[in-house]
Amino acid sequence: MKKIYFLIIVLIFFSSTAPAQIPFNTSPVWTSSDNGAYSTGCAWVDLNKDGWLDLVTADGNDMSRQKLSVYFSNNGTLPTVPGWQSTDIDYHGKLTVGDVNGDGWSDVAVSVYIGPAGFGSRGKVKLYLNSNGTLSSIPAWISSDTVYTFSCAFGGCGRRWRPRFSSCLRGEL
């Protein structure tokens, strides 16, 4: 009899705490004005140290050679137009952020999925250094080897700049 009461109590408890569906908006709360961008990777990071997260996007994928973009938050509101774009274009994949050279500013690394000739050529990994809140307009470092890579990650960087970044920046094959 005690087992039946226990079973009833357990069933009542779990039926009253069953997970409910989370209501999501059916329309986005923010959209960039760059309708031609094929954004593949993004990261939220406070690039300019103003206390608000900025949005960094890697555009291109395998659709079109495009730029990296940064949408600098203005007191928590994202503009629809990027405040910074790289001057170079590529088939960008995913990206990662971290302080590679130990200067206290977040840098951005991005995988280039395929080379300029498209699927017949291999991509690379690029690094944009952050100088006082502004990323370099061209990569400060480009991997010397070419590989089909879609994402990259920082690992083993420590606090010191490594000129070749060989043990710091890894691409995923």
Side-chain angles (χ1 to χ4, degrees):
M1 192 69 164
K2 288 182 182 181
K3 289 182 181 179
I4 292 175
Y5 288 129
F6 177 73
L7 182 59
I8 291 172
I9 292 171
V10 168
L11 288 174
I12 291 172
F13 175 76
F14 282 113
S15 66
S16 65
T17 60
Q21 183 176 0
I22 299 171
F24 285 109
N25 290 335
T26 56
S27 58
V29 296
W30 177 85
T31 305
S32 76
S33 61
D34 191 357
N35 294 331
Y38 298 101
S39 300
T40 303
C42 75
W44 292 96
V45 60
D46 186 4
L47 282 176
N48 55 4
K49 294 186 179 183
D50 65 354
W52 296 96
L53 292 177
D54 308 309
L55 178 63
V56 183
T57 62
D59 302 327
N61 197 354
D62 62 351
M63 306 296 287
S64 173
R65 293 180 70 211
Q66 296 181 344
K67 301 177 178 189
L68 254 60
S69 299
V70 176
Y71 297 86
F72 290 102
S73 179
N74 183 9
N75 295 322
T77 302
L78 283 180
T80 59
V81 178
W84 175 91
Q85 287 188 311
S86 62
T87 56
D88 64 321
I89 57 172
D90 264 313
Y91 293 106
H92 295 117
K94 298 188 180 195
L95 58 86
T96 189
V97 295
D99 183 6
V100 174
N101 56 3
D103 65 355
W105 295 90
S106 293
D107 307 306
V108 176
V110 62
S111 283
V112 177
Y113 182 45
I114 52 180
F119 286 103
S121 61
R122 293 187 265 181
K124 57 195 166 205
V125 178
K126 303 186 300 186
L127 176 69
Y128 296 83
L129 293 177
N130 185 344
S131 177
N132 298 317
T134 303
L135 294 174
S136 53
S137 60
I138 58 172
W141 177 84
I142 300 173
S143 62
S144 58
D145 55 340
T146 57
V147 10
Y148 294 105
T149 177
F150 196 67
S151 64
C152 59
F154 291 124
C157 289
R159 301 286 300 162
R160 301 181 64 86
W161 175 308
R162 302 189 196 245
R164 292 189 40 165
F165 302 103
S166 59
S167 65
C168 179
L169 192 54
R170 305 182 195 292
E172 178 184 292
L173 304 176

